[in-house]
Amino acid sequence: MCGIVGYIGKKNATPILMQGLRALEYRGYDSAGLYVAGKGVLKRAGKVDVLAAAIPKEFSGNAGIAHTRWATHGPPTEKNAHPHTDTSRTIWVVHNGIVENYAELREAMIQRGTTFESDTDTEVLAKLIGEEYGMGVVLEDAVTRALKKINGTYALAVMSEREPDKIVAARLGSPLLIGIANDAYFLASDATPILPHTRRVIYLDDGELSILSPNACMVRREFETLSKKIEVLEWDAETAKKQGHEHFMLKEIMEIPEVIKNTLRGRLDFNEGTSVLSGLQNVASRLANIQRIIITGCGSAYYAGLAGKNLIEEFSGVPVEVEIASELRYRRFTGDSKHSILLAVSQSGETADTLEAIRIAKRHGMLTLGIVNVVGSSIARETDAGVYNHAGPEISVASTKGFISQIIVLALIALMLGRQRSLQKAKGRGLARFLSELPEKVSEILGRKDMVAEVAKRYASMQNALCIGRKFQYPVAFEGALKLKEVAYLHAEGYGAGEMKHGPLALIESSVPTIALLPMDSVYEKTRSNVEEIRARGGKVIAVTTEGNEAAARLADDVLFVPTTHEAFLPVLTVIPLQLFTYYIAKERGLPIDKPRNLAKSVTVE
Ligand code: M6R
């Protein structure tokens, strides 16, 4: 989604802003632009490289704002790219979010004689700020007054040619943070552009406005000055780079063993056979009495939620519903809110629908918990309590290590809820041991990645595929199909293996392979029968099974093995060959693996 960068200090802002835009590319965008004090504005449709090529040598100054735009209102053209300006071309605005009442505001302005250059809601906002500024107030007051007139969400940065030593930034519903270095201030939608310069940051909260100058940073709400806490980011710039891998997706898959260790670190109590989640300590007694959990999220986070339902119900017996956030937010909330919790899963912590579902659940009096990777993100801050994934920055649009760390956190929560109820200590100890062994088992799978690449080569030209799984493998089937769709651009459907006879079997022919999640678990025989039914109808099968299942080689056309573990934790292992398979197919097809077309990493609009 759109990204904002800002800089004010003693250095040349242009290279800093361009480096920042490059760091934000992973979020997804289709045009880019920047404004540098004293030099003016430059915008281009397409990649940041196109913008970089258009920048003249003398385009330098000590302050500026820049933006990557992911089109919402109007196509990805130069005229729609940010920054946008007011009628007198004095102020420049970059904006993330949506001005919901922009059409009526625009109409009213047109009636007043204003003309517009673009199709965007942001230009309406720029012109509104310009109208207020024209009354002779300082820039921050013009912004405050204009923002009162809009409905919607925003993170924005504004500069004025009349006050070149000032950047005004504001936030409502879209993330924005300020980086603090010795001689400069930075502004960004997330930490990646700031990390090369400083790890000291201030997170703006909804309704707050900041005024940055070369030697001061002030945050206020309305007209009251606030004293904000400076936080120190855990991630460093190096962590966010590719570290020798051709793509972030592969780098992030290869990090999974380390990620699982980090997610588990200090959280398993082997003696008591439980988990210790400090982020949930304050709500532990409430959790002991809850009677229902609603898990919500979008995309892979939703599928992790499905895996979490199986884990929580299996170990604790607490009933769990899993709802896509974009549906949950429009549903009527039913049941006893006091004894229910909403558990929101989100890697970025910024997904708009998930955030809104949290707000609605809160209004219904529910306790809200988050499973979030990005520290300090909106979901992390708006939920009552939560658990961080500690997966490190996930740059590739496709979630891989993020998805796995979400399942690990859900497993830890399941263990804790189980031990608060009837799960016996000995069983808990066994589960804790199984969890702690997962990193080594994942490393074994990754050690065989070239074999997955070989299999992927044979299927690289397929157009359609089915992924099937049962019980604990059911969510993996959906996650595998999602990966194939978004990264390899092939049409893949996830299905419960038992559903094949109820329709999808009609699709089976030699050109439609099925990826069968077939570990030797408690439902192995059932899924094996489904695989035989597919084979009997001429369908090709790629089986993902557990080591030692020699029969799988006779049953399937191709077999990918994973080590054995407790069946409830097998999704952590079986999804990895699917992630690798997708990666290698996309590579064979020459696709933009880390930034698939039309997609964004952080979906901050509904
Ligand atoms: O940041 P979140 O976990 O909230 O993101 C949710 C989805 O947008 C995300 O999982 C998406 O489906 C991924 N691209 C899947 O790989």
Side-chain angles (χ1 to χ4, degrees), residues 15-61:
I16 294 172
L17 295 173
M18 293 308 292
Q19 183 193 35
L21 290 184
R22 288 207 163 86
L24 290 174
E25 280 190 293
Y26 79 94
R27 294 164 68 96
Y29 72 103
D30 33 46
S31 60
L34 81 168
Y35 167 79
V36 172
K39 291 296 164 196
V41 77
L42 257 178
K43 317 199 261 191
R44 286 293 180 271
K47 295 286 163 200
V48 170
D49 280 344
V50 178
L51 177 68
I55 297 179
K57 267 209 180 92
E58 65 281 7
F59 201 80
S60 62

Side-chain angles (χ1 to χ4, degrees), residues 297-303 345-352 354 371 373-374 379 394 396-400 402-403 406 479 482-483 486-487 596 599-603:
C298 300
S300 293
Y302 166 73
Y303 297 135
V345 185
S346 174
Q347 188 285 133
S348 62
E350 301 294 351
T351 301
T354 311
I371 297 177
N373 190 36
V374 179
I379 293 177
E394 193 177 60
S396 179
V397 165
S399 185
T400 52
F403 173 77
Q406 287 162 349
E479 172 61 8
L482 175 62
K483 287 282 106 59
E486 68 170 335
V487 183
L599 297 181
K601 181 66 180 164
S602 180
V603 184

Side-chain angles (χ1 to χ4, degrees), residues 186-480:
F186 300 83
L187 195 67
S189 308
D190 67 41
T192 41
I194 293 179
L195 278 168
H197 309 284
T198 178
R199 288 165 67 186
R200 298 170 69 227
V201 297
I202 289 175
Y203 292 97
L204 279 190
D205 282 310
D206 279 351
E208 291 178 355
L209 175 139
S210 174
I211 304 142
L212 307 179
S213 62
N215 41 30
C217 157
M218 202 242 273
V219 180
R220 70 184 207 189
R221 181 180 291 279
E222 288 281 310
F223 294 95
E224 182 201 344
T225 305
L226 306 174
S227 144
K228 295 283 289 184
K229 191 170 149 220
I230 297 178
E231 306 197 29
V232 180
L233 293 168
E234 276 178 25
W235 299 349
D236 56 37
E238 196 47 40
T239 322
K241 290 189 192 150
K242 282 187 206 157
Q243 287 165 357
H245 292 286
E246 199 179 336
H247 298 99
F248 280 112
M249 182 175 177
L250 186 59
K251 175 202 169 227
E252 286 159 9
I253 294 173
M254 297 307 286
E255 282 173 350
I256 290 170
E258 210 47 42
V259 165
I260 299 177
K261 281 185 205 160
N262 289 340
T263 308
L264 290 176
R265 184 159 291 125
R267 289 170 166 172
L268 282 174
D269 181 339
F270 291 94
N271 201 28
E272 287 302 313
T274 188
S275 63
V276 186
L277 298 167
S278 55
L280 299 183
Q281 236 156 33
N282 290 344
V283 294
S285 56
R286 265 183 93 175
L287 292 181
N289 294 312
I290 48 150
Q291 286 158 14
R292 176 179 70 144
I293 298 176
I294 302 174
I295 302 182
T296 198
C298 300
S300 293
Y302 166 73
Y303 297 135
L306 287 180
K309 170 185 166 75
N310 287 340
L311 290 161
I312 293 171
E313 290 184 343
E314 181 78 10
F315 299 147
S316 75
V318 177
V320 180
E321 296 161 27
V322 191
E323 284 282 350
I324 298 167
S326 53
E327 289 297 322
L328 181 63
R329 61 181 287 186
Y330 296 109
R331 278 222 354 240
R332 182 173 158 198
F333 274 64
T334 54
D336 173 5
S337 299
K338 273 213 176 91
H339 295 101
S340 304
I341 59 168
L342 182 85
L343 181 50
V345 185
S346 174
Q347 188 285 133
S348 62
E350 301 294 351
T351 301
D353 286 316
T354 311
L355 194 54
E356 193 52 32
I358 292 165
R359 290 172 179 161
I360 294 168
K362 273 183 155 178
R363 287 205 286 277
H364 281 80
M366 284 172 73
L367 179 70
T368 59
L369 306 182
I371 297 177
V372 172
N373 190 36
V374 179
V375 176
S377 57
S378 303
I379 293 177
R381 287 178 304 133
E382 291 206 19
T383 40
D384 298 307
V387 184
Y388 280 122
N389 296 37
H390 298 314
E394 193 177 60
I395 306 296
S396 179
V397 165
S399 185
T400 52
K401 63 175 184 173
F403 173 77
I404 287 191
S405 66
Q406 287 162 349
I407 299 184
I408 298 290
V409 173
L410 285 156
L412 290 168
I413 293 175
L415 188 56
M416 184 193 77
L417 293 174
R419 290 289 291 123
Q420 282 179 335
R421 292 165 175 79
S422 57
L423 184 75
Q424 287 172 354
K425 194 191 274 189
K427 180 105 193 277
R429 283 177 173 165
L431 293 173
R433 203 191 63 247
F434 277 119
L435 280 171
S436 68
E437 289 167 355
L438 286 174
E440 208 177 308
K441 296 185 179 202
V442 172
S443 296
E444 275 180 50
I445 301 171
L446 296 177
R448 296 194 288 258
K449 71 177 191 320
D450 292 349
M451 283 162 64
V452 184
E454 282 305 309
V455 177
K457 263 189 200 149
R458 292 201 280 280
Y459 292 89
S461 61
M462 68 180 164
Q463 294 304 316
N464 298 287
L466 288 163
C467 293
I468 59 167
R470 194 185 234 102
K471 198 178 175 184
F472 292 111
Q473 297 303 316
Y474 174 76
V476 182
F478 288 90
E479 172 61 8

